[in-house]
Amino acid sequence: MTKQILLSTPHMGDREQEFVKEAFDTNWIAPVGPHVDAFEQEFCQVVGAKHAAAVSSGTAALHLALELTGIQRGDEVFCSSLTFIASASPITYLGAKPVFVDSDRTTWNMNPDLLREALEKRAKLGKLPKAVLIVHLYGQSADIDPILAACLEYEVPLVEDAAESLGATYKDKSPGIFGKIGIFSFNGNKIITTSGGGMLVSDDENIVARARFLATQARDPAPHYQHSVVGYNYRLSNVLAGIGRGQLQVLEDRVNARRHNFETYQQALGKLPGIEFMPEASFGRATRWLTCLTIDPAAFGADREQVRLELGKQLIEARPVWKPLHLQPVFAECESIGGAISEELFDRGLCLPSGSNLKQEELQRFIDAIDRIHRR
Ligand SMILES: *Cc1c(COP(=O)(O)O)cnc(C)c1O
């Protein structure tokens, strides 16, 4: 029986069960407790943030981040177009509107020149967005310096969605700590996981304290359950924070394993006509959370969908690169600044099996399958 090869599956280390057992032994089975506090502190050390709040998902973290940036009904937020829907949904939770910005070819992330031009135009119209939300896609940081410089010049706050890029670097620092607020995700398919969870980070202690307050139903300091604003139930469970503490200890191993997958694929397939791997930008280390490539159908002899479907028949899961958000039916009314690059990446882009627990035989099975498709 052939075993199915999946895109990205959870990969536990040695310590997670110990931490979970400790939560059981001490009866801290609640969205509060010592693992939550320790996970926040340890996470800060890993990414170099000053303060962090552990929450129930990356989406929840982003919702809080945007609310704490002051986004309100009717506001506009500039957002990367080439990303997962969860980058933009929280904009709409607040009644604000996303405006999508295209990618550049070297990073696949938001194009800094396009952003600067758009901000310049909007400044002249007196219609600057209330925030810029950049995404660090597939384990690679966006080119943060020019983006931050443009945001500073026009005094628009920067929020970073680093859900896919824990473990990456931008000039030796972690993406997610440059903007006003950054967020990370520990969903089941991410580089480390708590089954579900997220983290909000900021250098501003008040923002993080406010995030914790809003994430626990915004309870005023009174014994009788008094509320002056509406909050959320977004805190991370102490049990899951235990898993997170164990996972943090193996993050570096997970990055190395995913980079090894990439190198194996690239060595074997990089010279095939029409195949191009996602480039690694010179400013830092990509984790290769997912190995991605593009297929030029004329040169390769099959298009992305043909390849993906053929792989599926051989029980190998591969997925198209994110459908750009400016092409999503739900955002049909939203403005898009550029779009041709992300459209082409979507058209030709494929995400390969990339789990840190893939075996050499499984990588080889993928390589052989692509070779066969190419030779036909
Ligand atoms: C996974 C992901 C999120 C959402 O994180 P969850 O923890 O699943 O809510 C947000 N943005 C991007 C780019 C993601 O890949």
Side-chain angles (χ1 to χ4, degrees):
M1 273 290 282
T2 321
K3 196 173 143 243
Q4 192 180 14
I5 299 176
L6 295 168
L7 197 78
S8 178
T9 60
H11 184 184
M12 292 297 113
D14 299 330
R15 300 286 308 280
E16 289 82 348
Q17 281 189 327
E18 246 174 76
F19 285 121
V20 169
K21 183 172 184 301
E22 196 180 315
F24 273 69
D25 290 346
T26 54
N27 205 31
W28 277 107
I29 315 291
V32 58
H35 282 332
V36 175
D37 300 340
F39 187 36
E40 289 174 346
Q41 280 163 22
E42 289 157 8
F43 192 85
C44 280
Q45 276 164 13
V46 167
V47 302
K50 291 216 175 81
H51 306 280
V55 293
S56 53
S57 72
T59 311
L62 197 51
H63 187 189
L64 294 170
L66 291 168
E67 180 160 334
L68 290 165
T69 305
I71 305 304
Q72 293 179 347
R73 189 158 296 280
D75 288 346
E76 286 185 317
V77 175
F78 281 10
C79 175
S80 304
S81 186
L82 188 64
T83 181
F84 180 46
I85 184 88
S87 300
S89 322
I91 300 172
T92 66
Y93 299 169
L94 293 164
K97 267 197 313 197
V99 171
F100 297 111
V101 182
D102 202 4
S103 300
D104 67 40
R105 233 169 243 289
T106 23
T107 65
W108 291 24
N109 287 312
M110 189 186 284
N111 181 331
D113 298 330
L114 203 58
L115 171 68
R116 172 174 284 279
E117 270 170 42
L119 288 174
E120 194 184 321
K121 249 190 230 160
R122 287 304 198 88
K124 279 186 191 140
L125 295 170
K127 272 188 64 189
L128 280 167
K130 286 286 153 56
V132 170
L133 169 54
I134 59 167
V135 181
H136 306 291
L137 206 65
Y138 295 132
Q140 170 147 279
S141 175
D143 191 2
I144 297 169
D145 280 347
I147 290 173
L148 196 56
C151 288
L152 286 173
E153 186 178 333
Y154 292 98
E155 295 178 16
V156 179
L158 178 68
V159 176
E160 292 178 77
D161 177 351
E164 298 182 1
S165 291
L166 177 59
T169 63
Y170 180 78
K171 301 183 180 174
D172 296 325
K173 288 187 184 167
S174 170
I177 66 164
F178 292 81
K180 184 182 170 92
I181 306 176
I183 73 99
F184 295 85
S185 163
F186 312 115
N187 205 331
N189 62 357
K190 298 301 200 289
I191 196 159
I192 61 168
T193 181
T194 59
S195 76
M199 194 73 82
L200 177 150
V201 302
S202 178
D203 283 351
D204 184 337
E205 189 172 5
N206 294 327
I207 285 181
V208 174
R210 189 76 184 167
R212 291 197 191 102
F213 169 77
L214 288 175
T216 45
Q217 307 285 19
R219 206 177 140 190
D220 292 341
H224 49 263
Y225 288 86
Q226 173 172 293
H227 306 270
S228 308
V229 294
V230 170
Y232 309 94
N233 182 6
Y234 274 174
R235 213 56 170 122
L236 184 68
S237 151
N238 190 63
V239 179
L240 301 187
I243 301 178
R245 293 184 70 189
Q247 287 272 277
L248 265 189
Q249 296 187 0
V250 293
L251 173 61
E252 214 38 44
D253 295 343
R254 300 300 180 257
V255 172
N256 290 333
R258 287 188 189 249
R259 285 183 61 89
H260 169 78
N261 293 340
F262 172 86
E263 277 151 27
T264 307
Y265 287 138
Q266 193 187 34
Q267 265 173 25
L269 303 171
K271 294 212 173 69
L272 287 183
I275 297 282
E276 234 181 280
F277 282 83
M278 179 180 179
E280 181 173 36
S282 57
F283 50 59
R285 174 178 80 166
T287 65
R288 303 299 185 179
W289 169 57
L290 296 185
T291 288
C292 306
L293 51 75
T294 55
I295 301 170
D296 174 352
F300 183 71
D303 68 17
R304 194 278 315 284
E305 264 318 89
Q306 288 169 320
V307 171
R308 190 184 68 81
L309 291 169
E310 184 54 37
L311 289 167
K313 281 190 206 145
Q314 300 178 36
L315 299 183
I316 299 171
E317 184 188 31
R319 290 192 194 165
V321 159
W322 298 126
K323 178 170 182 165
L325 297 184
H326 72 273
L327 297 181
Q328 295 290 355
V330 70
F331 294 130
E333 305 298 311
C334 294
E335 185 183 336
S336 176
I337 298 166
I341 303 289
S342 56
E343 283 170 30
E344 190 193 320
L345 291 172
F346 167 57
D347 221 36
R348 298 184 165 193
L350 191 69
C351 303
L352 278 47
S354 300
S356 49
N357 46 8
L358 284 175
K359 300 193 179 67
Q360 204 62 31
E361 309 91 80
E362 294 175 307
L363 298 175
Q364 196 56 49
R365 231 176 88 199
F366 178 90
I367 290 164
D368 293 344
I370 295 288
D371 257 336
R372 275 197 303 274
I373 296 169
H374 170 62
R375 269 187 273 119
R376 261 209 317 254

